[in-house]
Short mmCIF file of all heavy atoms in Angstrom, two decimals:
data_model
loop_
_atom_site.label_atom_id
_atom_site.label_comp_id
_atom_site.label_asym_id
_atom_site.label_seq_id
_atom_site.Cartn_x
_atom_site.Cartn_y
_atom_site.Cartn_z
N ILE A 153 113.33 111.57 113.20
CA ILE A 153 113.43 110.57 114.26
C ILE A 153 112.03 110.45 114.84
O ILE A 153 111.56 111.32 115.58
CB ILE A 153 114.46 111.00 115.33
CG1 ILE A 153 115.83 111.24 114.68
CG2 ILE A 153 114.55 109.93 116.44
CD1 ILE A 153 116.88 111.86 115.60
N MET A 154 111.36 109.40 114.44
CA MET A 154 109.93 109.24 114.76
C MET A 154 109.83 108.65 116.17
O MET A 154 109.83 107.44 116.34
CB MET A 154 109.28 108.28 113.75
CG MET A 154 109.53 108.66 112.30
SD MET A 154 108.63 107.61 111.14
CE MET A 154 109.50 106.06 111.28
N ASP A 155 109.72 109.49 117.16
CA ASP A 155 109.79 109.01 118.54
C ASP A 155 108.50 109.33 119.30
O ASP A 155 107.83 110.32 119.01
CB ASP A 155 111.00 109.65 119.24
CG ASP A 155 111.43 108.88 120.48
OD1 ASP A 155 110.95 107.75 120.68
OD2 ASP A 155 112.26 109.41 121.24
N GLY A 156 108.20 108.49 120.26
CA GLY A 156 107.08 108.76 121.16
C GLY A 156 105.87 107.84 120.99
O GLY A 156 104.83 108.06 121.61
N ASN A 157 106.02 106.80 120.19
CA ASN A 157 104.89 105.86 120.00
C ASN A 157 104.48 105.21 121.30
O ASN A 157 103.29 105.05 121.59
CB ASN A 157 105.28 104.75 119.02
CG ASN A 157 105.56 105.27 117.63
OD1 ASN A 157 105.35 106.43 117.33
ND2 ASN A 157 106.05 104.39 116.77
N GLY A 158 105.47 104.82 122.09
CA GLY A 158 105.18 104.13 123.34
C GLY A 158 104.46 105.05 124.31
O GLY A 158 103.46 104.64 124.95
N ARG A 159 104.92 106.29 124.41
CA ARG A 159 104.28 107.23 125.33
C ARG A 159 102.86 107.56 124.87
O ARG A 159 101.96 107.75 125.68
CB ARG A 159 105.13 108.50 125.47
CG ARG A 159 106.28 108.32 126.45
CD ARG A 159 107.35 109.36 126.28
NE ARG A 159 108.22 109.02 125.16
CZ ARG A 159 109.15 109.83 124.69
NH1 ARG A 159 109.31 111.03 125.22
NH2 ARG A 159 109.92 109.44 123.69
N TRP A 160 102.68 107.64 123.58
CA TRP A 160 101.34 107.91 123.02
C TRP A 160 100.37 106.80 123.44
O TRP A 160 99.25 107.05 123.86
CB TRP A 160 101.45 107.99 121.50
CG TRP A 160 100.19 108.34 120.78
CD1 TRP A 160 99.77 109.58 120.42
CD2 TRP A 160 99.18 107.42 120.32
NE1 TRP A 160 98.57 109.50 119.75
CE2 TRP A 160 98.18 108.19 119.69
CE3 TRP A 160 99.02 106.04 120.37
CZ2 TRP A 160 97.05 107.63 119.11
CZ3 TRP A 160 97.89 105.46 119.81
CH2 TRP A 160 96.91 106.26 119.19
N ALA A 161 100.84 105.55 123.32
CA ALA A 161 99.98 104.41 123.68
C ALA A 161 99.70 104.39 125.18
O ALA A 161 98.56 104.22 125.63
CB ALA A 161 100.66 103.11 123.24
N ARG A 162 100.76 104.60 125.93
CA ARG A 162 100.63 104.57 127.39
C ARG A 162 99.63 105.61 127.90
O ARG A 162 98.83 105.33 128.79
CB ARG A 162 102.01 104.87 127.96
CG ARG A 162 102.22 104.53 129.39
CD ARG A 162 103.64 104.97 129.67
NE ARG A 162 103.80 105.33 131.06
CZ ARG A 162 104.41 104.56 131.93
NH1 ARG A 162 104.90 103.41 131.54
NH2 ARG A 162 104.53 104.94 133.17
N ARG A 168 102.02 99.10 123.78
CA ARG A 168 102.98 99.87 122.97
C ARG A 168 102.78 99.63 121.47
O ARG A 168 102.94 100.54 120.66
CB ARG A 168 104.41 99.52 123.36
CG ARG A 168 104.81 99.99 124.76
CD ARG A 168 106.25 99.59 125.07
NE ARG A 168 107.18 100.18 124.14
CZ ARG A 168 107.68 101.40 124.24
NH1 ARG A 168 107.34 102.16 125.27
NH2 ARG A 168 108.51 101.87 123.34
N GLY A 171 100.67 101.99 119.73
CA GLY A 171 101.35 103.25 119.41
C GLY A 171 102.12 103.15 118.10
O GLY A 171 102.12 104.07 117.29
N HIS A 172 102.76 102.01 117.90
CA HIS A 172 103.51 101.83 116.65
C HIS A 172 102.55 101.78 115.46
O HIS A 172 102.84 102.33 114.40
CB HIS A 172 104.34 100.54 116.72
CG HIS A 172 105.38 100.56 117.80
ND1 HIS A 172 106.21 101.65 118.00
CD2 HIS A 172 105.75 99.64 118.72
CE1 HIS A 172 107.03 101.38 119.02
NE2 HIS A 172 106.76 100.18 119.48
N GLY A 175 101.55 105.04 114.65
CA GLY A 175 102.70 105.70 114.02
C GLY A 175 102.73 105.48 112.51
O GLY A 175 103.20 106.35 111.77
N TYR A 197 113.53 107.38 110.46
CA TYR A 197 114.20 106.44 111.36
C TYR A 197 113.14 105.53 111.95
O TYR A 197 112.34 105.94 112.79
CB TYR A 197 114.89 107.24 112.46
CG TYR A 197 116.04 106.58 113.18
CD1 TYR A 197 116.56 105.35 112.80
CD2 TYR A 197 116.64 107.25 114.26
CE1 TYR A 197 117.64 104.79 113.48
CE2 TYR A 197 117.72 106.70 114.93
CZ TYR A 197 118.22 105.47 114.54
OH TYR A 197 119.29 104.94 115.21
N ALA A 198 113.11 104.29 111.48
CA ALA A 198 112.04 103.38 111.88
C ALA A 198 112.50 102.34 112.89
O ALA A 198 111.70 101.87 113.71
CB ALA A 198 111.47 102.68 110.65
N PHE A 199 113.78 101.95 112.83
CA PHE A 199 114.27 100.93 113.76
C PHE A 199 115.79 101.07 113.85
O PHE A 199 116.49 100.98 112.85
CB PHE A 199 113.89 99.53 113.26
CG PHE A 199 114.09 98.46 114.29
CD1 PHE A 199 113.09 98.17 115.22
CD2 PHE A 199 115.26 97.72 114.34
CE1 PHE A 199 113.28 97.18 116.19
CE2 PHE A 199 115.46 96.73 115.30
CZ PHE A 199 114.46 96.46 116.22
N SER A 200 116.27 101.28 115.06
CA SER A 200 117.71 101.49 115.23
C SER A 200 118.40 100.17 115.58
O SER A 200 117.75 99.21 116.02
CB SER A 200 117.96 102.50 116.35
OG SER A 200 117.73 101.92 117.63
N ASN A 203 117.51 99.23 118.95
CA ASN A 203 116.14 98.81 119.26
C ASN A 203 115.98 97.30 119.41
O ASN A 203 114.97 96.82 119.94
CB ASN A 203 115.15 99.34 118.21
CG ASN A 203 114.90 100.84 118.29
OD1 ASN A 203 114.64 101.49 117.28
ND2 ASN A 203 114.96 101.42 119.49
N ARG A 206 115.03 95.87 122.86
CA ARG A 206 113.67 95.87 123.44
C ARG A 206 113.15 94.44 123.58
O ARG A 206 113.69 93.52 122.96
CB ARG A 206 112.74 96.68 122.53
CG ARG A 206 113.18 98.14 122.47
CD ARG A 206 112.18 98.98 121.72
NE ARG A 206 112.63 100.37 121.68
CZ ARG A 206 111.86 101.40 121.43
NH1 ARG A 206 110.58 101.22 121.17
NH2 ARG A 206 112.36 102.62 121.43
N GLU A 210 107.98 93.09 121.33
CA GLU A 210 107.85 94.41 120.69
C GLU A 210 108.62 94.43 119.37
O GLU A 210 108.14 94.96 118.37
CB GLU A 210 108.34 95.52 121.63
CG GLU A 210 108.23 96.89 120.96
CD GLU A 210 108.44 98.08 121.90
OE1 GLU A 210 108.50 97.88 123.12
OE2 GLU A 210 108.55 99.20 121.37
N LEU A 214 107.03 95.10 115.70
CA LEU A 214 107.53 96.15 114.78
C LEU A 214 107.85 95.57 113.40
O LEU A 214 107.55 96.18 112.37
CB LEU A 214 108.76 96.83 115.37
CG LEU A 214 108.47 97.87 116.45
CD1 LEU A 214 109.73 98.21 117.23
CD2 LEU A 214 107.87 99.13 115.83
N ARG A 317 113.00 115.80 115.31
CA ARG A 317 112.74 114.74 116.28
C ARG A 317 111.46 115.05 117.03
O ARG A 317 111.29 116.15 117.55
CB ARG A 317 113.90 114.55 117.26
CG ARG A 317 113.63 113.39 118.23
CD ARG A 317 114.84 112.85 118.92
NE ARG A 317 114.49 111.63 119.67
CZ ARG A 317 115.34 110.68 119.99
NH1 ARG A 317 116.60 110.78 119.65
NH2 ARG A 317 114.94 109.61 120.67
N THR A 318 110.60 114.08 117.13
CA THR A 318 109.36 114.24 117.88
C THR A 318 109.56 113.76 119.31
O THR A 318 110.59 113.20 119.67
CB THR A 318 108.21 113.45 117.23
OG1 THR A 318 108.57 112.07 117.16
CG2 THR A 318 107.93 113.97 115.82
N SER A 319 108.58 114.03 120.14
CA SER A 319 108.46 113.58 121.53
C SER A 319 109.35 114.34 122.50
O SER A 319 109.48 113.93 123.65
CB SER A 319 108.70 112.07 121.67
OG SER A 319 110.07 111.76 121.80
N GLU A 321 112.52 114.77 122.80
CA GLU A 321 113.91 114.37 123.11
C GLU A 321 114.87 115.22 122.29
O GLU A 321 114.56 115.65 121.19
CB GLU A 321 114.13 112.89 122.77
CG GLU A 321 113.13 111.93 123.39
CD GLU A 321 113.20 111.85 124.91
OE1 GLU A 321 114.13 112.43 125.52
OE2 GLU A 321 112.30 111.22 125.50
N ARG A 323 118.19 114.46 121.29
CA ARG A 323 119.40 113.73 120.93
C ARG A 323 119.22 113.05 119.57
O ARG A 323 118.10 112.89 119.08
CB ARG A 323 119.75 112.69 122.00
CG ARG A 323 118.63 111.73 122.30
CD ARG A 323 119.01 110.68 123.37
NE ARG A 323 117.83 109.94 123.76
CZ ARG A 323 117.05 110.26 124.79
NH1 ARG A 323 117.35 111.29 125.56
NH2 ARG A 323 115.97 109.54 125.06
N LEU A 343 104.11 113.89 120.00
CA LEU A 343 104.45 112.47 119.90
C LEU A 343 104.22 112.01 118.47
O LEU A 343 103.29 112.49 117.80
CB LEU A 343 103.60 111.66 120.89
CG LEU A 343 103.73 112.09 122.36
CD1 LEU A 343 102.75 111.29 123.24
CD2 LEU A 343 105.16 111.91 122.87
N TRP A 344 105.06 111.10 118.00
CA TRP A 344 105.00 110.75 116.58
C TRP A 344 103.60 110.41 116.06
O TRP A 344 103.18 110.90 115.00
CB TRP A 344 106.02 109.66 116.22
CG TRP A 344 105.88 109.28 114.79
CD1 TRP A 344 105.37 108.12 114.28
CD2 TRP A 344 106.18 110.12 113.64
NE1 TRP A 344 105.33 108.17 112.91
CE2 TRP A 344 105.82 109.38 112.49
CE3 TRP A 344 106.70 111.41 113.50
CZ2 TRP A 344 105.99 109.89 111.20
CZ3 TRP A 344 106.85 111.93 112.21
CH2 TRP A 344 106.50 111.17 111.09
N PRO A 345 102.80 109.60 116.77
CA PRO A 345 101.49 109.26 116.21
C PRO A 345 100.57 110.47 116.02
O PRO A 345 99.59 110.40 115.26
CB PRO A 345 100.89 108.28 117.24
CG PRO A 345 102.08 107.70 117.91
CD PRO A 345 103.08 108.84 118.00
C1 IPE B 487 109.52 105.31 118.36
O1 IPE B 487 108.70 105.26 119.47
C2 IPE B 487 109.47 104.03 117.56
C3 IPE B 487 110.68 103.21 117.64
C4 IPE B 487 111.76 103.51 118.27
C5 IPE B 487 110.64 101.95 116.93
P1 IPE B 487 109.17 104.60 120.84
O2 IPE B 487 108.76 103.17 120.82
O3 IPE B 487 110.60 104.85 121.07
O4 IPE B 487 108.27 105.40 121.86
P2 IPE B 487 108.70 105.93 123.30
O5 IPE B 487 109.96 106.72 123.13
O6 IPE B 487 108.89 104.75 124.16
O7 IPE B 487 107.55 106.79 123.71
#
Side-chain angles (χ1 to χ4, degrees):
I153 303 172
M154 308 186 289
D155 200 12
N157 296 353
R159 278 162 280 172
W160 184 92
R162 196 181 151 105
R168 292 179 60 84
H172 297 314
Y197 202 6
F199 193 86
S200 75
N203 288 149
R206 296 187 180 199
E210 179 169 350
L214 281 165
R317 182 162 188 155
T318 58
S319 86
E321 307 294 351
R323 55 179 171 267
L343 302 175
W344 177 251

